[in-house]
């Protein structure tokens, strides 16, 4: 799938999935799809702006810390 293809190119790539309809296997299946290098973050619709911002900050914090070094 898309997550695995992206992670194949960059294993440290943070992935955020925003969905209103998880796959038939449920949310757990969606999270496990890209789990080779850590599961993707998941935000369910309708999106709460504060939750989305907090998730984006958590995903990008390691990159910002590395860039500051």
């Amino acid at each position: 799938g898309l997550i695995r293809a992206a992670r194949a190119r960059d294993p440290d790539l943070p992935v955020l999935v925003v969905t209103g309809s998880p796959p038939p296997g449920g949310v757990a299946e969606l999270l496990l799809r890209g789990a080779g290098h850590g599961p993707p973050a998941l935000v369910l619709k309708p999106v709460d702006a504060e939750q989305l911002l907090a998730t984006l900050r958590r995903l990008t914090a390691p990159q910002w810390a590395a860039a500051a070094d």
Side-chain angles (χ1 to χ4, degrees), residues 29-58:
E29 179 185 326
L30 180 65
L31 291 175
L32 290 173
R33 284 184 186 172
H37 296 280
L42 177 68
V43 174
L44 296 175
K45 294 178 185 177
V47 175
D48 174 73
E50 291 299 319
Q51 178 193 12
L52 179 60
L53 185 57
T55 302
L56 289 171
R57 285 183 177 146
R58 180 175 52 84

Side-chain angles (χ1 to χ4, degrees), residues 55-69:
T55 302
L56 289 171
R57 285 183 177 146
R58 180 175 52 84
L59 285 174
T60 59
Q63 292 176 334
W64 286 106
D69 289 342

